[in-house]
């Protein structure tokens, strides 16, 4: 009888462990899919607007389309997806403590030779009595990004940016810098 109990306890232990592992695996798979969708949708809108109206028109894409895509995908996937950075343009995108820590670690990992596009980090975070699954994926600075995030931003782009974002910190980036990251958080049911 005792043996049987030990066995069933071991089984329970194993089962709950597997559930947690699956939950995290599923979260990571869904996060990857959501990020891919976010990145491709935004990039095609951005590149399209740059071609048709140049950077001044494309600012509207980043200003209005990016938050809309984020909201649509958050609803579709059932978790919160956004973009953040150590230097943000929109104060709504400001990194929280956990995001700041991960972004700093991405900088260290980049210095150590990891490629920006492969930098990801995922963790289960406990806050008081609630738990969340969180994940981040770094975003590299490409040539097209410099028109609005580089050092010498042409007019009238600079004026439009300053009008829309008086607290803009997201300039002065160079090709190959980490521009920021996609960030996802999913609250776990108790
Ligand atoms: C036409 C101008 C323009 C171009 C080109 C551009 N961005 Fe932005 N970017 C913006 C604006 C405007 C925002 C603020 C969006 C908002 O209000 O949420 C922004 C915000 C961001 C953010 C969110 C964090 C923050 O600073 O608020 C990231 C990350 C980002 N851009 C990355 C990129 C990358 C990577 C590229 C190149 C592939 C790029 N951007 C190209 C204008 C631009």
């Amino acid at each position: 009888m005792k043996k049987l109990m030990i066995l069933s306890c071991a089984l329970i232990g194993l089962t709950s462990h597997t559930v947690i592992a699956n939950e995290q695996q599923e979260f990571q798979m869904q996060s990857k899919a959501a990020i891919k969708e976010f990145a491709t949708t935004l990039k095609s809108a951005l590149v399209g607007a740059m071609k048709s109206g140049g950077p001044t028109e494309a600012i509207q894409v980043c200003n209005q389309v990016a938050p809309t895509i984020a909201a649509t995908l958050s609803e579709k996937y059932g978790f919160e997806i956004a973009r953040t950075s150590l230097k943000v343009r929109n104060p709504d995108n400001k990194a929280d403590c956990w995001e700041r820590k991960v972004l700093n670690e991405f900088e260290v990992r980049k210095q150590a030779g990891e490629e920006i596009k492969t930098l990801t980090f995922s963790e289960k975070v406990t806050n008081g009595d609630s738990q969340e699954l969180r994940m981040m994926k770094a975003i590299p600075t490409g040539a097209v990004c410099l028109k609005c995030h580089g050092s010498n931003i042409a007019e009238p782009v600079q004026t439009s940016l300053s009008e829309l974002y008086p607290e803009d910190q997201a300039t002065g980036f160079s090709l190959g810098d980490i521009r920021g990251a996609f960030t996802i958080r999913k609250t776990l049911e108790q």
Side-chain angles (χ1 to χ4, degrees):
M1 186 60 193
K2 203 174 169 196
K3 243 189 195 165
L4 211 109
M5 266 176 65
I6 291 171
L7 191 72
S8 63
C9 288
L11 274 178
I12 288 169
L14 200 80
T15 323
S16 64
H17 186 79
T18 317
V19 168
I20 291 167
N22 282 345
E23 189 180 55
Q24 283 192 349
Q25 244 173 18
E26 196 186 315
F27 171 70
Q28 280 174 21
M29 269 167 52
Q30 286 195 324
S31 299
K32 266 193 194 163
I35 288 170
K36 200 168 175 193
E37 206 172 329
F38 197 160
T40 45
T41 318
L42 186 56
K43 195 143 191 196
S44 65
L46 182 70
V47 171
M50 292 283 272
K51 272 193 190 139
S52 64
T56 327
E57 188 179 311
I59 290 174
Q60 299 308 320
V61 170
C62 300
N63 176 239
Q64 283 154 29
V65 181
T68 312
I69 300 172
T72 311
L73 291 179
S74 298
E75 193 152 321
K76 174 175 169 186
Y77 285 91
F79 50 54
E80 212 179 290
I81 179 164
R83 294 183 306 162
T84 188
S85 173
L86 288 171
K87 295 200 298 177
V88 290
R89 172 151 289 161
N90 185 337
D92 290 349
N93 299 329
K94 197 166 173 249
D96 68 13
C97 277
W98 186 84
E99 288 164 336
R100 195 161 280 278
K101 192 187 77 187
V102 176
L103 286 163
N104 281 319
E105 275 165 19
F106 282 171
E107 292 291 347
V108 173
R109 285 168 60 184
K110 179 188 167 242
Q111 292 301 321
E114 282 187 60
E115 264 193 87
I116 300 175
K117 60 175 194 249
T118 62
L119 289 172
T120 60
F121 183 75
S122 163
E123 192 176 49
K124 188 183 226 176
V125 180
T126 309
N127 290 319
D129 50 8
S130 81
Q131 280 194 317
E132 285 182 319
L133 290 173
R134 300 194 70 167
M135 128 68 133
M136 283 177 81
K137 184 175 193 324
I139 306 173
T141 309
V144 64
C145 319
L146 300 178
K147 293 215 176 339
C148 298
H149 295 293
S151 293
N152 298 307
I153 299 170
E155 289 299 349
V157 182
Q158 183 57 65
T159 304
S160 306
L161 288 172
S162 309
E163 274 169 19
L164 280 168
Y165 305 98
E167 296 167 55
D168 191 4
Q169 299 176 324
T171 56
F173 286 89
S174 304
L175 196 65
D177 283 346
I178 298 176
R179 171 57 192 94
F182 291 103
T183 179
I184 295 182
R185 59 199 302 177
K186 179 179 182 159
T187 308
L188 294 173
E189 301 300 331
Q190 292 298 303

